[in-house]
Structure formats: C-alpha cells, structure tokens
Amino acid sequence: MSEHAQPTYGKYLIIWIWLIALLAAGTFISSLPINKTEAVLLILGISLIKTALVALFYMHLKFERSVPLWVVVVFPFFLVGSVVLLVLSSHLFS
Amino acid sequence: MTHAAETTCTGIPSAKLGMWLFLASEVMFFTGLLGAYIVLRAGLPTWPHPGEELKIQLAALNTFILLSSSMTMALAVAAVHRADRAKAQLFLMLTIGLGTAFLGVKGYEYSLKFAHGHFPGTGIFWDCYFTLTGLHGLHVLAGIIANLWVLSLTFRDDFLKERGHLVEISGLYWHFVDVVWIFLFPLVYLI
C-alpha cells in the first residue's frame, strides 16, 4: 500500500455525500421535460464527475505519483475513446 | 503500515500493478459491451423508454447501496492504514453486506421482470438489459467473494504485517465495479 497521506474518515464521508447528491441530481434531471440530447449530456457528465470522485479519492489516484501506474490507468481510456469515435463516426458518416 | 507486499522494478507493489492491469482489461471488456449496446440501440427505429419498462426507483436504490459500499470499502482500507484491525473487519463486513443487498434488490427486480414474461431472448431490449446487468451482477458477486476471503484473512495474527495490502487490492476491484454501475445506471435506466 502506498505510504502517502491518506484522507481521513470524515473526508470519505464528504465524498459519499457528494456522490449521493450527484445521484439524486442525475435521477432528477432524467425526469425533467428537457431536450433529450441535453439530458444525455448532463446525466453522462454527472456520471463522469462521480467516476472522478471514486477514482481520485476512494481508489487513491489523487495521491498516486507513480508514472508507470498512471500509464496503466490512462491507456485503456485511449482505447475507450477510439471505440467512442468509431461508433460516432459510423453513425455520422453512414 | 508494514506488510510483505513485494514491489516490482517500477516501484509499484506487484499485486497492485497486477490489479490495475486487470482493471484495464475490464475497462475494455465493459467498453465493448456498452459499445454494442449503444450501436444496437441507435440502429433500431424505436426503443422502449426505460422508465416505462424498468423500475428506476429500485435501480436508484441499488446505486445508493453500491456508492455506500464504496465508502465502507475505502474506510476499511483507511482502517488498515491506521493498523485498526477491528474497524477494518467492521467496514469489510458492511461492504459485503451492502454488496449482498445490491444483489438482493437486483434479484427482486429480475423476479418482477420474469413475472411479466420478460426473459433473455424475448427482445433486443431485454437481451441488452439482462446481459449488461447480469454481467455486472456477476462482477459484484466476485467482489463479495474476494472481500469474504480478505475478511477471513483479517483474523490471522500476521494480517496487518503481511496481508493488509490485500484490502486495498480487493478495494480497487470493488470500486471499479461501482464505477461500471455509475455508467450502467444512467445508460440502461435513465436515458
């Protein structure tokens, strides 16, 4: 386990409160009579924020200084981005 | 904290590096699944509104449960850092309990679908629903089993000295399963 400064119990609780608030916000937005594209962008944006909170604080990436580890963490997201671009391009140019 | 986690030439403990590499492969696994789901959904002229077919309240409750379990898992790791075995055991048990509750709610949700005649193979919507949530559920089950194994190790005398790092390794997997659900919930139930 990394020997870096770890968040306190209270910090983890605050992150949890944010996560639950964002869950409530995403669920509420889905019930609003707004444009579908706007709703999708907002809800997925909230999901990205929740993911960042879990990864940075609960998975301790915020405190990780190891470059090789970051390479392992970031590399799959290049592939994820490639898949997203391929899916989008096949719909945009078909 | 002290433990016997071996470190690779990268400076990263080998178990931790191994888990991150495994999680990288899992990211690609779920990306393929979600990509297929989005392509299937976008390729059909009509798609049922999830709110009419699925119980959003149950899924939101399950999201609450899984997010809470991530917190208790993080607290278990923090307790190990503080060499507090009793709290580590308590938070691990809470995490296992919450994970089991998640599967219980999911099982109840499935039973409602079965009662209405919705099974895998009864339409592309239900195929996607059962495939995505079922595979995620299997990952939750695997996480519960891993946490039960780690919990059993906490009762050994050498746990804090030799095996404490396993709580963090198991925790990384558990948080990943949570992150997958963070995207499955809106994609399957909300949008």
Side-chain angles (χ1 to χ4, degrees), chain A residues 55 59 61 64 66-78, chain B residues 17 20-21 23-24 27:
Chain A
M59 298 174 93
L61 283 178
E64 207 53 71
S66 167
V67 173
L69 187 70
W70 273 103
V71 171
V72 173
V73 171
V74 171
F75 181 68
F77 290 95
F78 283 110
Chain B
L17 182 62
W20 274 110
L21 283 168
L23 294 184
V27 168

Side-chain angles (χ1 to χ4, degrees), chain B residues 23-47:
Chain B
L23 294 184
S25 73
E26 287 281 89
V27 168
M28 289 180 267
F29 172 75
F30 277 103
T31 300
L33 276 177
L34 288 173
Y37 168 69
I38 292 167
V39 168
L40 283 170
R41 188 170 166 170
L44 288 175
T46 58
W47 189 265

